[in-house]
């Protein structure tokens, strides 16, 4: 190996290690502009079938939408879908499901540690704690009411055969630690 190629490799490694050290000490130094570009590209390429369920102003516009709703081939009461959770600082697209059954309406969500079974009462009382569950359930099960205020759908729920008196609850199934 010649002295010049040895010096070039040494310079390359020193530069690489320096950049690595800077990124470890200042992880946000170059990241925000790249992250902003990616988020902007994602926002610009929203799915064609996206239905906006709710927008809020919280230090910028946050949006909740639903798309890719599919009826389960083996159970017509089950729907799979994707949510579009857009905020000024992030975009999250989870895949979830709902049960549209008259006997046990439910939204199933999950995170890294658990699966959440949210039993719902369509047409019942809407609070800040259950509003999103009902927005999503109505959009997936009765798409013509997607984005409507669920607190105004009591009569529609009764017409569909819901008692509007079911007890809401949440069951949490812990996932095994990995």
């Amino acid at each position: 190996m010649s002295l010049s190629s040895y010096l070039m490799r040494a310079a390359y490694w020193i530069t690489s290690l320096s950049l690595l050290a800077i990124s470890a000490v200042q992880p946000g130094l170059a990241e925000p502009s790249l992250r902003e570009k990616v988020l902007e590209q994602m926002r610009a390429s929203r799915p064609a079938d996206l239905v906006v369920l709710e927008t809020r102003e919280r230090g910028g516009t946050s949006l909740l939408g639903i798309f890719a709703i599919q009826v389960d081939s083996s159970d017509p009461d089950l729907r799979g879908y994707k949510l579009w959770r857009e905020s000024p600082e992030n975009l999250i697209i989870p895949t979830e499901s709902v049960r549209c059954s008259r006997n046990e309406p439910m939204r199933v969500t999950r995170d890294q540690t658990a699966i959440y079974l949210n039993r719902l009462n369509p047409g019942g009382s809407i609070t800040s704690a259950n509003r999103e569950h009902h927005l999503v359930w109505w959009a997936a099960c009765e798409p013509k009411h997607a984005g409507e205020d669920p607190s105004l759908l009591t009569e529609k729920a009764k017409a569909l055969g819901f008692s509007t008196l079911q007890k809401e609850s949440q069951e949490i199934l812990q996932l095994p630690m990995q």
Side-chain angles (χ1 to χ4, degrees), residues 32-178:
S33 62
L34 177 61
R35 181 178 176 82
E36 282 301 314
K37 286 179 185 176
V38 170
L39 285 172
E40 202 51 47
Q41 287 173 346
M42 292 295 292
R43 288 182 189 113
S45 62
R46 289 178 180 156
D49 63 338
L50 179 71
V51 177
V52 176
L53 302 179
E54 187 172 57
T55 56
R56 290 187 178 173
E57 288 299 322
R58 291 186 263 180
T61 303
S62 293
L63 180 141
L64 175 66
I66 190 170
F67 67 103
I69 301 169
Q70 303 261 326
V71 176
D72 186 86
S73 60
S74 62
D75 185 345
D77 280 340
L78 293 179
R79 308 279 189 283
Y81 56 88
K82 293 182 183 290
L83 280 187
W84 184 274
R85 293 181 177 280
E86 183 180 308
S87 70
E89 46 301 312
N90 210 354
L91 175 63
I92 301 169
I93 306 173
T95 300
E96 299 180 349
S97 61
V98 291
R99 181 184 297 145
C100 302
S101 148
R102 301 302 178 249
N103 299 328
E104 194 174 21
M106 180 184 302
R107 178 181 179 201
V108 179
T109 61
R110 71 177 289 162
D111 61 22
Q112 294 177 349
T113 61
I115 297 172
Y116 303 88
L117 307 175
N118 301 286
R119 289 175 183 80
L120 304 176
N121 180 26
S125 178
I126 302 300
T127 67
S128 60
N130 70 3
R131 180 177 175 75
E132 180 182 302
H133 295 311
H134 284 267
L135 280 167
V136 170
W137 186 91
W138 280 99
C141 295
E142 296 292 329
K144 61 185 162 276
H145 297 291
E148 291 183 31
D149 182 349
S151 67
L152 303 176
L153 295 172
T154 301
E155 292 307 314
K156 182 62 183 172
K158 287 179 181 177
L160 291 170
F162 292 96
S163 72
T164 71
L165 302 173
Q166 293 175 298
K167 183 178 177 183
E168 293 203 358
S169 64
Q170 182 181 67
E171 184 177 348
I172 301 172
L173 307 173
Q174 296 294 324
L175 294 172
M177 299 302 287
Q178 295 182 15

